[in-house]
Amino acid sequence: MAKPIILTGDRPTGPLHLGHYVGSLANRVRLQHEYQQYLIIADTQALTDNYDNPDRVRTNILEVALDYLGAGIDPEKNVIFIQSKVPELYELTVHFLNLVTVARLMRNPTVKDEIKQKNMEESLPAGFLMYPVSQAADILAFQTDLVPVGEDQNPMIEQTNEIARRFNFLYKTNCLKEVKPLTGSVGRLIGIDGKLKMSKSAGNAIMLSDSFNEIKAKVQKMYTDPNHLKVSDPGQVEGNVVFAFLDVFDPDKAAVEELKDHYRRGGLGDGVLKQRLTGILEDFIAPIRKRREDYAKDREEVLRLCFKGSEQAREKANQTLTQVREVMKLL
Ligand code: ATP
Ligand code: MG
């Protein structure tokens, strides 16, 4: 029996952060033996809002690949590939674009938020608006079963399945397979600034490659309770970014509950909490960073791995594309 298939990936707009880990990467590491996994480094998608900064995208392809390997993705078991090296995905995108209205694209809540965030309201690039369609092509090309993603990606999965259903109905086929999203232990990790989402673009992230000093400095900057001026003052736990991170990353849940009680009563300083969090995040990141550094000694080899993966991805995507072309009566 062939293994079920996972397709998931990331935009090479920066190195990966803790949000990627809890939202998606942890699941990929956990499931890599049960599933045949395809990991896409989505450079074309990254260019839809970075077309004026191709160097950023180019440089980060390798950084993302190193983050995968650092996190424990086994290069022998997984297919890591670069989106722009698999042109079959472009052709699928073009065919799928006929099945989606502009109004439907404008209703995608994640895209709507991003347009606002990136001040694109006035001059919205068509390529950016339609990136969920290209993402649908990425997913459907591999006969995917499962897509491990953060919460912000749910509207993309919904749209992908709409396209699959519409295509199959229209062309009387079953060559496209509907997929299921799989959200990680935390669907949306907040940023170190307390904002709703840790993100590469927002500059509020702790990277999987950060040094101890970088982690320490970022934790220092975290917002606690502005009214907790003296150690003896009672403090607030809700909305306190340090506690939000302890809730996610501290393995000792009982100790965190005790710390919360102590903080609420007063007598527990922010410094103690921040020191604890710094230690926990360092313990979490250190093995990833170490493995990453080992792989980074031979960057050429990692790039070769991505090229080889792209060849394998082409083969798989071509099987779907051949069926798609056939039912669309293309010559
Ligand atoms: P960008 O700011 O360039 O969009 P990003 O930080 O949002 O970068 P993506 O490459 O867009 O990262 O996302 C890759 C995957 O990681 C997606 O599945 C996404 O849902 C997940 N992810 C990203 N940030 C978080 C987060 N803060 N919490 C949980 N999952 C996340
Ligand atoms: Mg994103």
Side-chain angles (χ1 to χ4, degrees):
M1 266 284 279
K3 286 182 180 172
I5 294 172
I6 281 180
L7 177 290
T8 182
D10 306 273
R11 295 151 37 93
T13 48
L16 300 187
H17 52 66
L18 290 173
H20 293 109
Y21 195 90
V22 294
S24 172
L25 252 181
N27 273 334
R28 305 181 205 173
V29 173
R30 184 169 62 84
L31 297 173
Q32 62 182 328
H33 307 290
E34 286 163 60
Y35 284 78
Q36 172 57 58
Q37 219 164 206
Y38 291 89
L39 302 181
I40 180 171
I41 303 181
D43 56 345
T44 308
Q45 190 189 117
L47 283 166
T48 61
D49 57 332
N50 288 280
Y51 50 85
D52 54 350
N53 192 0
D55 286 331
R56 176 180 183 190
V57 174
R58 174 62 185 270
T59 321
N60 283 301
I61 290 175
L62 204 63
E63 298 303 316
V64 170
L66 285 170
D67 286 324
Y68 290 166
L69 299 168
I73 290 292
D74 180 346
E76 299 289 323
K77 292 221 151 73
N78 297 271
V79 177
I80 301 174
F81 72 98
I82 301 169
Q83 187 181 24
S84 66
K85 302 293 278 178
V86 185
E88 286 74 10
L89 300 175
Y90 295 160
E91 185 176 336
L92 279 175
T93 303
V94 170
H95 299 319
F96 292 165
L97 275 169
N98 299 329
L99 310 185
V100 182
T101 64
V102 173
R104 172 67 182 88
L105 288 168
M106 298 292 280
R107 274 202 304 274
N108 183 312
T110 299
V111 174
K112 253 194 200 161
D113 282 354
E114 288 172 339
I115 290 172
K116 221 182 273 163
Q117 249 173 47
K118 297 173 202 284
N119 297 317
M120 282 178 169
E121 286 114 327
E122 292 296 304
S123 61
L124 175 62
F128 187 81
L129 179 66
M130 66 109 204
Y131 89 72
V133 181
S134 110
Q135 199 169 320
D138 303 338
I139 294 170
L140 296 172
F142 294 90
Q143 302 296 322
T144 303
D145 296 284
L146 194 67
V147 191
V149 277
E151 210 173 78
D152 62 309
Q153 294 301 307
N154 286 338
M156 309 304 168
I157 306 293
E158 215 173 284
Q159 201 153 17
T160 299
N161 285 335
E162 276 174 36
I163 291 172
R165 278 196 295 270
R166 188 150 161 72
F167 186 94
N168 287 345
F169 173 76
L170 227 109
Y171 299 110
K172 300 181 182 53
T173 173
N174 56 5
C175 76
L176 300 181
K177 201 158 155 184
E178 287 189 47
V179 299
K180 285 197 181 70
L182 176 70
T183 311
S185 58
V186 181
R188 189 184 302 244
L189 183 68
I190 61 166
I192 59 168
D193 54 0
K195 290 227 179 79
L196 219 56
K197 180 177 172 293
M198 180 176 282
S199 132
K200 300 180 222 111
S201 307
N204 62 359
I206 296 181
M207 306 302 173
L208 299 175
S209 47
D210 274 349
S211 67
F212 174 74
N213 284 333
E214 283 167 322
I215 296 171
K216 192 171 161 194
K218 287 177 182 177
V219 171
Q220 270 316 317
K221 278 203 299 208
M222 282 180 185
Y223 181 87
T224 54
D225 171 3
N227 299 318
H228 186 242
L229 299 174
K230 285 195 286 249
V231 173
S232 55
D233 289 343
Q236 199 167 332
V237 167
E238 288 66 34
N240 187 316
V241 180
V242 180
F243 274 114
F245 277 81
L246 284 173
D247 275 336
V248 175
F249 292 100
D250 195 326
D252 190 346
K253 300 296 168 214
V256 175
E257 288 314 308
E258 269 173 42
L259 286 169
K260 284 181 182 171
D261 285 344
H262 193 174
Y263 197 76
R264 287 191 185 105
R265 284 198 307 272
L268 179 59
D270 289 343
V272 176
L273 283 179
K274 288 186 169 176
Q275 203 179 351
R276 181 181 179 96
L277 181 60
T278 302
I280 286 165
L281 294 182
E282 168 63 10
D283 288 349
F284 188 86
I285 287 176
I288 300 177
R289 190 172 61 217
K290 170 77 180 64
R291 208 166 17 221
R292 193 186 195 280
E293 278 165 8
D294 288 343
Y295 278 109
K297 285 179 192 144
D298 193 351
R299 290 175 168 255
E300 282 298 310
E301 176 57 26
V302 177
L303 204 56
R304 265 198 301 278
L305 191 89
C306 297
F307 288 159
K308 191 176 132 221
S310 303
E311 285 306 312
Q312 287 169 274
R314 283 198 75 174
E315 239 170 74
K316 181 77 180 168
N318 225 316
Q319 293 169 9
T320 303
L321 182 58
T322 304
Q323 285 176 288
V324 162
R325 293 182 62 104
E326 207 177 287
V327 297
M328 291 185 77
K329 304 198 188 304
L330 290 162
L331 287 169

